[in-house]
Amino acid sequence: MHKLNFHLDLLEKDNISTYYTELFNVETNKLVHTSSLTDSSVLKNNFVYIDDVPNYLNAKINTQSETIKLKKINTYQGSLINLGKYNNFSDYLLNEISTKERSEIRRRQKRLDHCIKPTYKMFYGAISEADYNMVFNDYKQMLVRRLEQKQSYWEELDYWEARHKSTFQLIHQKKACVFVIYHNKKPIAIYINSIFGTAMFNEVVAYDIDFSRFNIGILIFLKTIEWAINNKFELIDMSKGDFSYKERFRNGTYTFQNHIIYNNKELLMWVKANLLILKISLIYKLLPWLKKMKINTLYTNYKRIKKRHIFKDYVLEPNRDFHIEKIAKMDPLDDLKLINIENPAYGFLKKPSIDFAFLNVEHFDDIVVYNKESNENTYFFKGKNAIQKIVFK
């Protein structure tokens, strides 16, 4: 059996013509791939299994051999945004997002822009090796740190090395793009996408959990949508996954399919193909029951244990209970020590200081942090407009 992933092995490697003569995008009503014949010699002599084909791409084969058959099996549900319905980003927000949520999005975006004065960059068509390596290293660190926080695992980590090797060239070929939000030249949110024609495929997002108060994962997603609309993309494929944000921002769904291509006249191949078809169909019919029995959770925990070496360098600061007081003035300076929260020793203060900036509309770089020398568990955050005392228990 020759197993392939539709996205990684066909789209990214320009290998569609070997297996399909036509791909028609029913969402955009456009023919996105056509060729006269598929490679009959490959298909005739191989039992081919292609997974994760979106059914909005209506796939056809046309070979010189009438014995080659294509069987399509429905698997997961995917989410998408058909951008052709909107004239601009404001039009998308107005039609798809509630008034209340639009207001909240604007509030958090304004707060982010005020508190940290971020810079935004889309890498598409060009990126330096230095920028690329920094982005990918930080993306992995942020992703692992987030998974450590959730005590979870995401199979994206299994493909990090492969993605790191391939994406640099794909960016230069305009087959991928990476959107980055920076604070003081350091990435705090990264969104990696792949490109096929006028369709953008969301691959992976990672963000610094210290900035979670700003809902930065949603903000970078919306920035990516805005960029796609401004650059005349017609569709955003949000892929699979039961995430609430997908339900909130999508305007359509589709079904992933697994395709099995085989020679109908070769008895052994016919038997193998039909057994696989039966097996896959049964698995996906049982999937709702397996989820109900939390088998997927058990599998995630198993993967996390198996891959625990990945997390060994990303141990989070232990949760420490503390209480906060908003005060009018500081304690005497002769009992206070100025500290640098960029020092790893004070890493546990990074998120509270960012939260202080958010809640008091302070610019992060204006915040000065002190430690009370007579009580090492007491700290002060001082901005231009507010002072806060934080005491760890």
Side-chain angles (χ1 to χ4, degrees):
M1 181 176 70
H2 193 36
K3 186 174 181 181
L4 300 164
N5 178 268
F6 179 75
H7 193 89
L8 298 176
D9 298 307
L10 274 66
L11 295 190
E12 287 189 6
K13 297 178 181 178
D14 287 330
N15 201 20
I16 301 171
S17 296
T18 304
Y19 305 97
Y20 301 109
T21 49
E22 182 178 299
L23 291 177
F24 185 84
N25 190 322
V26 297
E27 283 288 329
T28 62
N29 200 34
K30 288 186 178 178
L31 186 65
V32 294
H33 166 77
T34 183
S35 57
S36 56
L37 291 173
T38 52
D39 192 331
S40 297
S41 61
V42 172
L43 300 183
K44 190 173 182 179
N45 300 310
N46 287 281
F47 166 30
V48 181
Y49 173 32
I50 304 173
D51 64 11
D52 289 349
V53 185
N55 75 337
Y56 63 79
L57 292 178
N58 188 15
K60 295 182 180 179
I61 60 172
N62 179 24
T63 74
Q64 293 175 333
S65 173
E66 295 181 359
T67 64
I68 305 299
K69 302 297 180 184
L70 167 62
K71 177 66 176 177
K72 302 177 181 180
I73 307 164
N74 292 338
T75 58
Y76 295 101
Q77 178 180 276
S79 300
L80 60 80
I81 307 173
N82 188 331
L83 301 178
K85 300 178 179 181
Y86 317 109
N87 296 317
N88 49 52
F89 182 59
S90 297
D91 194 21
Y92 163 76
L93 292 176
L94 187 63
N95 282 276
E96 300 299 336
I97 312 300
S98 69
T99 302
K100 181 179 179 181
E101 185 151 24
R102 289 200 306 273
S103 176
E104 181 62 18
I105 289 167
R106 284 194 297 269
R107 185 178 80 88
R108 291 183 184 271
Q109 183 65 64
K110 287 180 180 178
R111 194 67 59 91
L112 180 72
D113 291 339
H114 175 83
C115 292
I116 70 168
K117 291 183 169 58
T119 54
Y120 303 93
K121 176 73 174 178
M122 174 65 91
F123 294 101
Y124 179 58
I127 187 172
S128 70
E129 287 193 26
D131 282 335
Y132 182 78
N133 289 326
M134 178 176 69
V135 165
F136 258 79
N137 288 332
D138 284 2
Y139 136 62
K140 184 179 182 182
Q141 290 177 17
M142 289 188 287
L143 183 59
V144 173
R145 191 164 174 245
R146 172 63 172 149
L147 292 171
E148 177 71 4
Q149 181 192 50
K150 294 172 65 179
Q151 289 293 290
S152 185
Y153 187 80
W154 188 19
E155 290 186 350
E156 166 63 24
L157 289 172
D158 296 340
Y159 305 106
W160 184 86
E161 290 290 346
R163 195 181 292 284
H164 186 213
K165 289 178 182 177
S166 66
T167 306
F168 181 79
Q169 190 64 31
L170 293 173
I171 291 172
H172 284 266
Q173 294 171 344
K174 294 191 173 182
K175 294 181 182 178
C177 62
V178 179
F179 196 93
V180 185
I181 301 178
Y182 293 91
H183 174 231
N184 290 339
K185 299 183 179 181
K186 180 174 176 57
I188 59 173
I190 299 166
Y191 217 128
I192 300 173
N193 309 274
S194 57
I195 306 293
F196 178 60
T198 58
M200 174 187 288
F201 296 81
N202 294 156
E203 298 291 350
V204 59
V205 62
Y207 60 87
D208 187 337
I209 56 178
D210 289 339
F211 292 85
S212 59
R213 177 78 72 164
F214 295 94
N215 213 353
I216 198 165
I218 295 298
L219 294 184
I220 192 171
F221 174 61
L222 291 169
K223 285 287 186 182
T224 303
I225 296 174
E226 182 178 18
W227 182 88
I229 292 173
N230 291 341
N231 285 271
K232 310 303 180 186
F233 282 83
E234 296 180 290
L235 183 141
I236 292 180
D237 186 325
M238 302 165 73
S239 194
K240 66 189 79 167
D242 299 324
F243 299 104
S244 61
Y245 83 93
K246 293 187 178 184
E247 293 184 11
R248 286 156 55 198
F249 296 110
R250 70 191 181 193
N251 63 14
T253 61
Y254 65 92
T255 304
F256 277 99
Q257 295 178 332
N258 288 351
H259 289 183
I260 297 173
I261 306 173
Y262 62 99
N263 188 337
N264 198 38
K265 294 300 181 182
E266 290 285 341
L267 180 60
L268 183 58
M269 198 178 295
W270 181 90
V271 171
K272 287 181 177 179
N274 281 276
L275 285 175
L276 181 61
I277 291 166
L278 181 64
K279 176 184 174 182
I280 295 171
S281 299
L282 182 61
I283 287 172
Y284 285 98
K285 284 179 181 177
L286 289 174
L287 200 58
W289 178 82
L290 294 173
K291 284 186 175 181
K292 189 176 181 180
M293 297 297 293
K294 298 190 181 300
I295 300 299
N296 57 325
T297 303
L298 293 174
Y299 177 72
T300 299
N301 291 338
Y302 161 75
K303 287 284 290 187
R304 180 178 172 80
I305 292 169
K306 186 178 179 181
K307 302 281 186 174
R308 59 186 176 273
H309 62 279
I310 295 175
F311 296 88
K312 64 182 176 66
D313 295 326
Y314 301 95
V315 178
L316 294 177
E317 291 285 343
N319 289 327
R320 299 174 62 183
D321 291 332
F322 59 85
H323 72 266
I324 294 172
E325 299 175 27
K326 196 167 184 178
I327 57 179
K329 62 178 183 177
M330 300 277 291
D331 283 14
L333 288 176
D334 58 5
D335 191 29
L336 300 178
K337 177 177 66 174
L338 184 66
I339 65 169
N340 177 12
I341 60 171
E342 297 299 333
N343 184 332
Y346 297 106
F348 62 95
L349 291 173
K350 184 75 175 288
K351 188 176 188 311
S353 65
I354 294 171
D355 289 349
F356 171 74
F358 177 89
L359 294 170
N360 295 282
V361 201
E362 295 277 4
H363 186 268
F364 180 74
D365 291 341
D366 291 335
I367 298 171
V368 182
V369 183
Y370 296 94
N371 184 207
K372 190 176 177 68
E373 294 200 89
S374 61
N375 184 348
E376 62 180 15
N377 290 323
T378 299
Y379 296 86
F380 295 89
F381 298 151
K382 185 178 184 298
K384 287 187 173 181
N385 305 310
I387 303 172
Q388 179 177 282
K389 179 181 179 180
I390 179 169
V391 180
F392 288 89
K393 297 178 181 178

